[in-house]
Amino acid sequence: MNAAETRALLLALTAALSRGQRAALATVVGVQGSAYRREGTRMLVLEDGSQVCMLSGGCLEAEVVEVALEVIRTGLPALTHYDLSEDATWGLGIGCGGSVDVRVERVDPGDPVTAGWLAALAEGRSAALAVPLVGRGRLLVTPDGQVTGALPAGALHAFALKAARERLGLREPRAATLAAPDGTPVFIDVNVPPPQLVLYGAGHDAVPLAAQAHALGYDVQVIDPRPAYLTPGRFPGATLHDLAPEDLHRFTPGGRAHLIVMNHHLDRDRVCLAHALQSGAEYVGVLGPRSRAEDLLRDLEAQGVTFTPGQLARLRSPVGLRLGAEAPEEVALSILAELMAWRRGYDGGFLSGHAGRIHDADTHAPFPRS
């Protein structure tokens, strides 16, 4: 789920709990074949039958609501398998060709694991929630070593703890169901801070890039020394930094930062590129032709500013996917498409003609069927 969906879900949950209304959280914990959403997608169901967010394109929600209402009534979690194939989706002809497993659990804000997980979601902090899909127990793990909750079997607890920590260490942590050594499927849900997009430059083409990135859940930061350009009206939802090139040391990118140099001003671009490459961020893009970035690097070298092979390996120039983009809105789409592919480990090629799976499902554990 993206940050916007998570915010909407949490706002609705907070309001419901303040009214004394009970709720259940439905989470996609397994996907086999093709499906509309992936593991970790959540939907909130309130005891009046209303819902917030979606698990599919509309073919699952009514059934999940019915399951959730029973879970709210009994307090017993439920794991349900849904076949979305064309011939099996309740005769509606809306199948996606695959199947999904959905776990529904009543929200108990007084439970320490639940409270910790909801706080991590609300505050945008890194955390992993491990839940065996057979049996009992839950485990909340944070990168600083804090562990809340426990699983009943020592070997299963150790496996879940190790798996949660490994997931948190990935470049783009994603939820997944993994098989423990004894065959128990363990769902690892993951929350991380929203990725940060830092734009060096508040020109005309930065406006659609910032807007599209904000809609996708990025924490957008815009740096420019020109107050007339750096306004909330031009960059709603972004954090603005009125910094001259000599003051860039006052800004430190976040841990999941992606930096784009797009000042359209050689002197500022030169200083900003040096700041970006020296920041430790894994992704540094330069807008414009490859020759522009090469000229900037040569100018910096002439000034005695050089970079290690590791720093240069982070440089993306020209930035963006090869889409034939021309207008600023198209260029923004190209850049964000490359960013998504890079973060998730894809090459950004066409899906048509691709022989493999659209989504990598190698880490999904098999589910026991009754």
Side-chain angles (χ1 to χ4, degrees):
M1 292 181 67
N2 62 35
E5 289 177 302
T6 299
R7 283 195 298 267
L9 187 151
L10 291 173
L11 282 172
L13 176 59
T14 300
L17 294 176
S18 68
R19 298 191 300 266
Q21 194 173 11
R22 295 181 299 177
L25 198 59
T27 306
V28 174
V29 297
V31 175
Q32 299 82 41
S34 176
Y36 189 75
R37 302 295 299 269
R38 307 306 299 175
E39 289 85 353
T41 303
R42 308 178 195 98
M43 182 175 82
L44 180 71
V45 179
L46 305 181
E47 63 180 329
D48 62 4
S50 60
Q51 66 186 67
V52 180
C53 297
M54 298 181 71
L55 300 181
S56 71
C59 49
L60 282 183
E61 282 66 23
E63 288 286 320
V64 173
V65 167
E66 292 302 315
V67 173
L69 292 176
E70 181 66 12
V71 168
I72 290 173
R73 186 183 69 81
T74 65
L76 300 176
L79 176 66
T80 307
H81 178 72
Y82 297 94
D83 189 337
L84 303 179
S85 63
E86 189 70 33
D87 295 330
T89 311
W90 310 296
L92 300 179
I94 53 177
C96 301
S99 60
V100 301
D101 295 273
V102 177
R103 185 177 190 273
V104 183
E105 184 174 26
R106 191 168 72 186
V107 177
D108 177 9
D111 171 66
V113 173
T114 299
W117 178 241
L118 292 177
L121 293 177
E123 298 166 15
R125 291 186 282 105
S126 294
L129 178 68
V131 182
L133 299 180
V134 178
R136 305 180 64 182
R138 294 186 307 156
L139 196 64
L140 180 67
V141 181
T142 59
D144 60 5
Q146 293 186 37
V147 178
T148 307
L151 304 188
L156 188 61
H157 180 97
F159 168 80
L161 183 59
K162 180 175 183 290
R165 286 172 172 164
E166 288 176 347
R167 284 270 140 186
L168 286 173
L170 297 176
R171 180 172 72 190
E172 183 68 10
R174 306 290 297 275
T177 293
L178 310 175
D182 66 356
T184 301
V186 179
F187 176 62
I188 311 293
D189 205 351
V190 182
N191 187 68
V192 291
Q196 189 180 75
L197 182 64
V198 179
L199 307 182
Y200 296 94
H204 178 61
D205 50 0
V207 173
L209 179 54
Q212 291 181 30
H214 179 68
L216 290 174
Y218 281 87
D219 170 19
V220 181
Q221 311 275 324
V222 185
I223 302 174
D224 198 289
R226 301 168 295 177
Y229 286 79
L230 201 68
T231 66
R234 285 167 55 82
F235 298 99
T239 302
L240 309 180
H241 303 270
D242 183 358
L243 293 174
E246 60 270 20
D247 296 323
L248 285 178
H249 64 276
R250 291 163 47 190
F251 175 80
T252 302
R256 304 181 68 225
H258 314 84
L259 318 181
I260 309 294
V261 178
M262 52 189 309
N263 286 288
H264 300 290
H265 186 281
L266 284 175
D267 289 338
R268 287 202 299 271
D269 277 347
R270 194 178 300 117
V271 177
C272 290
L273 178 57
H275 180 263
L277 288 175
Q278 292 168 348
S279 71
E282 292 187 355
Y283 184 104
V284 176
V286 176
L287 192 68
R290 184 177 298 106
S291 59
R292 180 179 177 83
E294 292 171 348
D295 289 343
L296 293 173
L297 290 172
R298 274 194 296 267
D299 291 346
L300 287 168
E301 185 176 10
Q303 297 173 9
V305 181
T306 59
F307 306 97
T308 67
Q311 289 172 324
L312 292 174
R314 302 169 186 154
L315 181 61
R316 316 284 296 190
S317 174
V319 65
L321 291 186
R322 190 166 174 249
L323 304 179
E326 295 182 6
E329 293 79 7
E330 296 173 343
V331 173
L333 175 64
S334 169
I335 293 172
L336 291 171
E338 181 188 81
L339 262 176
M340 179 179 289
W342 178 85
R343 284 170 47 208
R344 297 182 179 178
Y346 289 81
D347 61 9
F350 290 119
L351 290 176
S352 178
H354 177 64
R357 293 174 179 267
I358 294 176
H359 299 281
D360 179 12
D362 293 342
T363 60
H364 301 162
F367 286 80
R369 305 290 180 216
S370 57

